Coordinates of all heavy atoms in Angstrom, one line a residue:
L120 N -6.7 9.7 1.4 CA -5.7 10.6 0.8 C -5.6 10.1 -0.7 O -5.5 8.9 -1.0 CB -4.3 10.4 1.4 CG -3.2 11.2 0.8 CD1 -2.3 11.8 1.8 CD2 -2.4 10.4 -0.2
V121 N -5.7 11.1 -1.6 CA -5.5 10.8 -3.0 C -4.3 11.5 -3.5 O -4.1 12.7 -3.3 CB -6.8 11.3 -3.8 CG1 -6.5 11.2 -5.3 CG2 -8.0 10.5 -3.4
C122 N -3.5 10.8 -4.2 CA -2.2 11.3 -4.6 C -2.0 11.1 -6.1 O -2.3 10.1 -6.7 CB -1.0 10.6 -3.9 SG 0.6 11.1 -4.4
A123 N -1.5 12.1 -6.8 CA -1.1 12.1 -8.2 C 0.4 12.4 -8.3 O 0.9 13.2 -7.5 CB -1.9 13.1 -9.0
T124 N 1.1 11.8 -9.2 CA 2.5 12.0 -9.4 C 2.7 13.2 -10.3 O 1.8 13.5 -11.1 CB 3.2 10.8 -10.0 OG1 2.8 10.5 -11.3 CG2 3.0 9.5 -9.1
T125 N 3.9 13.8 -10.2 CA 4.2 14.9 -11.1 C 4.2 14.4 -12.6 O 3.9 15.2 -13.5 CB 5.5 15.6 -10.8 OG1 6.5 14.5 -10.6 CG2 5.4 16.3 -9.4
G126 N 4.7 13.2 -12.8 CA 4.7 12.6 -14.1 C 3.3 12.5 -14.7 O 3.1 12.7 -15.9
L127 N 2.3 12.2 -13.9 CA 0.9 12.1 -14.4 C 0.4 13.5 -14.7 O -0.2 13.7 -15.8 CB 0.1 11.4 -13.3 CG -1.4 11.2 -13.7 CD1 -1.4 9.9 -14.6 CD2 -2.3 11.0 -12.5
L128 N 0.7 14.4 -13.8 CA 0.1 15.8 -14.0 C 0.7 16.4 -15.3 O 0.0 17.2 -15.9 CB 0.4 16.6 -12.8 CG -0.2 16.2 -11.5 CD1 0.3 17.1 -10.3 CD2 -1.7 16.2 -11.6
R129 N 2.0 16.1 -15.6 CA 2.6 16.7 -16.8 C 2.0 16.1 -18.1 O 2.0 16.8 -19.1 CB 4.1 16.4 -16.8 CG 4.9 17.4 -15.9 CD 6.3 17.4 -16.2 NE 6.9 16.0 -16.1 CZ 7.5 15.6 -15.0 NH1 7.5 16.4 -13.9 NH2 8.0 14.4 -14.9
R130 N 1.6 14.9 -18.0 CA 1.2 14.1 -19.3 C -0.3 14.2 -19.7 O -0.6 14.1 -20.8 CB 1.6 12.7 -19.1 CG 3.1 12.4 -19.2 CD 3.4 11.0 -18.9 NE 4.8 10.6 -19.1 CZ 5.8 10.8 -18.2 NH1 5.5 11.4 -17.0 NH2 7.0 10.5 -18.5
L131 N -1.2 14.4 -18.7 CA -2.6 14.2 -19.0 C -3.3 15.6 -19.2 O -2.9 16.6 -18.6 CB -3.3 13.5 -17.8 CG -2.8 12.1 -17.5 CD1 -3.8 11.5 -16.5 CD2 -2.7 11.2 -18.8
E132 N -4.3 15.5 -20.1 CA -5.1 16.6 -20.3 C -6.1 16.7 -19.2 O -6.3 15.7 -18.4 CB -5.9 16.5 -21.6 CG -5.0 16.4 -22.9 CD -4.2 17.7 -23.0 OE1 -4.8 18.8 -22.7 OE2 -3.0 17.7 -23.5
P133 N -6.8 17.9 -18.9 CA -7.7 18.0 -17.8 C -8.8 16.9 -17.7 O -9.1 16.4 -16.6 CB -8.3 19.4 -18.0 CG -7.3 20.1 -18.8 CD -6.6 19.1 -19.7
E134 N -9.4 16.6 -18.9 CA -10.5 15.5 -18.8 C -9.9 14.2 -18.5 O -10.5 13.3 -17.8 CB -11.2 15.5 -20.2 CG -12.2 16.6 -20.4 CD -13.1 16.3 -21.5 OE1 -12.8 15.4 -22.3 OE2 -14.1 17.0 -21.7
E135 N -8.7 13.9 -19.0 CA -8.0 12.6 -18.7 C -7.7 12.5 -17.2 O -7.9 11.5 -16.5 CB -6.8 12.5 -19.5 CG -7.0 12.3 -21.0 CD -5.8 12.4 -21.8 OE1 -4.7 13.0 -21.3 OE2 -5.8 12.0 -23.0
L136 N -7.1 13.6 -16.6 CA -6.8 13.7 -15.2 C -8.1 13.5 -14.4 O -8.1 12.8 -13.3 CB -6.1 15.0 -14.8 CG -5.8 15.2 -13.4 CD1 -4.8 14.1 -12.9 CD2 -5.2 16.6 -13.1
E137 N -9.2 14.1 -14.8 CA -10.4 14.0 -14.1 C -10.9 12.5 -14.0 O -11.3 12.0 -13.0 CB -11.5 14.8 -14.8 CG -12.9 14.7 -14.1 CD -13.9 15.5 -14.8 OE1 -14.3 15.1 -15.9 OE2 -14.4 16.6 -14.3

Side-chain angles (χ1 to χ4, degrees):
L120 178 141
V121 173
C122 177
T124 66
T125 51
L127 185 79
L128 297 175
R129 281 198 299 269
R130 288 172 171 86
L131 298 189
E132 298 298 325
E134 282 193 349
E135 295 170 338
L136 179 62
E137 182 181 67

